[in-house]
């Protein structure tokens, strides 16, 4: 089986932790690099959390520390959802692994340009690192097969009425990506909010393996949903869209990012009827097949050891 070369740009974060863990063990994935950025918590904490995860699983995937703030606006983190550390609930201990010396933008450039085949980028955080990469090194765009991101929404937001957190955190960076000409698949909040685990699955996860025990401990401190309404597995949907795209329904469209200072700041405006644009710039998820997603989640957890 030919594996998909993959780079994850992330701000762990509890649902990020699930996505990273699954990517390390998925048989279709060759995880080449993890880059971190400020978002759910500070970049120091997101970087430490990424180190904790790779050390927990004994992985040798390199980790590069990225941007500590958005391009233009102050950082507004999401520690109220993910806890003070970003991954409260499980004692990983202090990691002994270290980041590589290059900044994330430089590590992205090097990894892309040295790859023998185009690489898929999976940003599940603010898009600051990748926006800077494209501005500083536009030649890297030709080495990107596609960008599959968790972010945006075709309906309401979760940070403001209009904006989803990852895009709201750095809308200027998001605008750079959607204007880049690189193939983009957007898995938005309106879809990922339906990709939930119920109490039945969480109880099952606890006893499956050590990864399940770790996930269940993190979920007990995760305020991304509830046991009654379901725990929202936002970020792992990006990985699912890469390896099992049939779990989703998609449409090709044109997406614009609102960067003004008003209440629409950070909104992802999709021209689904293509009344204002002649060409599309992205593929957007319209729906997720929830029961099949839950089955896939549990199958992936069995392989994550």
């Amino acid at each position: 089986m030919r594996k998909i070369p993959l780079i994850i740009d992330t701000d762990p974060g509890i649902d990020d932790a699930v996505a990273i863990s699954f990517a390390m063990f998925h048989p279709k994935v060759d995880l080449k690099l993890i880059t971190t950025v400020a978002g759910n918590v500070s970049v120091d904490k997101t970087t430490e959390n990424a180190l904790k995860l790779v050390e927990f699983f004994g992985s040798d995937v390199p980790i590069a520390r990225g941007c500590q703030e958005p391009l233009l606006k102050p950082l507004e983190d999401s520690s109220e959802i993910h806890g003070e550390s970003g991954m409260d609930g499980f004692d990983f201990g202090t990691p002994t692994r270290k980041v590589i010396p290059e900044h994330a933008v430089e590590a992205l450039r090097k990894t892309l340009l040295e790859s023998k085949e185009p690489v898929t980028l999976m940003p599940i955080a603010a898009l600051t690192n990748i926006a800077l990469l494209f501005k500083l090194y536009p030649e890297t765009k030709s080495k990107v097969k596609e960008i599959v991101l968790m972010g945006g929404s075709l309906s309401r937001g979760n940070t403001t009425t209009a904006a989803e957190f990852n895009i709201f955190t750095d809308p200027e960076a998001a605008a750079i990506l959607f204007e880049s000409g690189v193939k983009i698949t957007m898995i938005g909040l309106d879809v990922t909010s339906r990709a939930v685990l119920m109490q039945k699955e969480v109880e099952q996860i606890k006893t499956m393996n050590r990864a399940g025990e770790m996930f269940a401990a993190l979920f007990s401190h995760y305020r991304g949903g509830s046991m009654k309404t379901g725990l929202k597995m936002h970020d792992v949907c990006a990985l699912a869209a890469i390896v099992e795209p049939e779990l989703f329904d998609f449409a090709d469209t044109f997406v614009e990012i609102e960067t003004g200072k008003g209440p629409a700041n950070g909104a992802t405006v999709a021209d689904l009827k293509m009344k204002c644009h002649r060409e599309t710039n992205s593929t957007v998820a319209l729906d997720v097949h929830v029961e099949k997603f839950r089955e896939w989640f549990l199958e992936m957890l069995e392989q994550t050891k």
Side-chain angles (χ1 to χ4, degrees):
M1 179 189 301
R2 191 166 189 174
K3 293 190 174 185
I4 301 166
L6 182 69
I7 296 173
I8 297 179
D9 190 65
T10 181
D11 60 344
I14 290 171
D15 54 328
D16 304 70
V18 177
I20 294 167
S21 301
F22 283 2
M24 285 192 285
F25 287 89
H26 199 285
K28 294 181 183 178
V29 170
D30 175 15
L31 183 57
K32 291 185 167 295
L33 176 69
I34 296 171
T35 53
T36 63
V37 68
N40 285 324
V41 286
S42 71
V43 72
D44 289 338
K45 291 179 180 178
T46 64
T47 304
E48 182 172 6
N49 289 341
L51 290 168
K52 288 176 179 177
L53 284 168
V54 297
E55 190 160 300
F56 178 82
F57 289 111
S59 171
D60 60 358
V61 61
I63 297 172
R65 182 184 187 275
C67 295
Q68 64 183 4
E69 58 187 2
L71 294 180
L72 297 181
K73 64 191 293 188
L75 175 66
E76 299 179 45
D77 72 22
S78 189
S79 55
E80 74 278 4
I81 301 295
H82 295 268
E84 186 65 27
S85 74
M87 292 196 322
D88 287 357
F90 185 83
D91 183 10
F92 289 92
T94 303
T96 59
R97 279 281 309 273
K98 303 294 182 185
V99 296
I100 61 177
E102 295 90 352
H103 186 277
V105 174
E106 297 298 329
L108 284 162
R109 173 181 177 270
K110 180 180 179 182
T111 303
L112 287 169
L113 294 182
E114 290 182 353
S115 178
K116 295 180 179 179
E117 56 185 310
V119 177
T120 298
L121 301 184
M122 192 180 99
I124 50 177
L127 299 166
T128 316
N129 289 332
I130 300 173
L132 282 175
L133 173 76
F134 286 173
K135 282 297 185 182
L136 290 170
Y137 306 113
E139 67 273 17
T140 59
K141 294 180 188 179
S142 65
K143 299 292 290 187
V144 177
K145 179 182 179 182
E146 65 175 330
I147 296 172
V148 181
L149 65 91
M150 188 279 130
S153 176
L154 299 181
S155 57
R156 294 170 67 97
N158 61 349
T159 303
T160 66
T161 304
E164 177 274 332
F165 176 76
N166 286 341
I167 304 299
F168 177 82
T169 299
D170 198 339
E172 287 77 18
I176 289 170
L177 258 68
F178 278 86
E179 296 166 5
S180 69
V182 175
K183 176 178 169 58
I184 293 175
T185 298
M186 183 183 98
I187 316 298
L189 178 74
D190 51 311
V191 171
T192 65
S193 292
R194 296 199 286 273
V196 297
L197 299 180
M198 303 305 292
Q199 186 167 2
K200 173 186 174 183
E201 286 84 31
V202 175
E203 291 299 322
Q204 185 176 350
I205 284 166
K206 287 181 181 179
T207 58
M208 286 181 66
N209 53 29
R210 62 192 293 265
E213 182 182 359
M214 181 262 286
F215 289 167
L218 295 178
F219 293 161
S220 69
H221 286 253
Y222 180 40
R223 288 176 287 282
S226 70
M227 291 297 184
K228 290 185 178 180
T229 61
L231 294 175
K232 299 172 184 177
M233 295 292 104
H234 299 295
D235 289 337
V236 76
C237 287
L239 180 68
I242 294 169
V243 298
E244 300 290 342
E246 65 274 10
L247 294 174
F248 301 87
D249 297 330
F250 294 99
D252 294 331
T253 189
F254 192 97
V255 174
E256 292 183 359
I257 309 299
E258 175 57 54
T259 58
K261 301 301 180 185
N265 180 258
T268 45
V269 183
D271 186 11
L272 289 171
K273 296 184 182 294
M274 294 301 292
K275 293 292 187 181
C276 301
H277 301 87
R278 293 184 178 180
E279 297 182 356
T280 64
N281 70 347
S282 56
T283 300
V284 296
L286 300 177
D287 203 358
V288 58
H289 302 283
V290 177
E291 289 303 323
K292 290 182 179 179
F293 171 83
R294 290 174 181 153
E295 292 173 6
W296 172 81
F297 188 102
L298 294 174
E299 289 170 1
M300 271 308 310
L301 180 55
E302 287 182 342
Q303 301 177 49
T304 305
K305 300 177 181 179

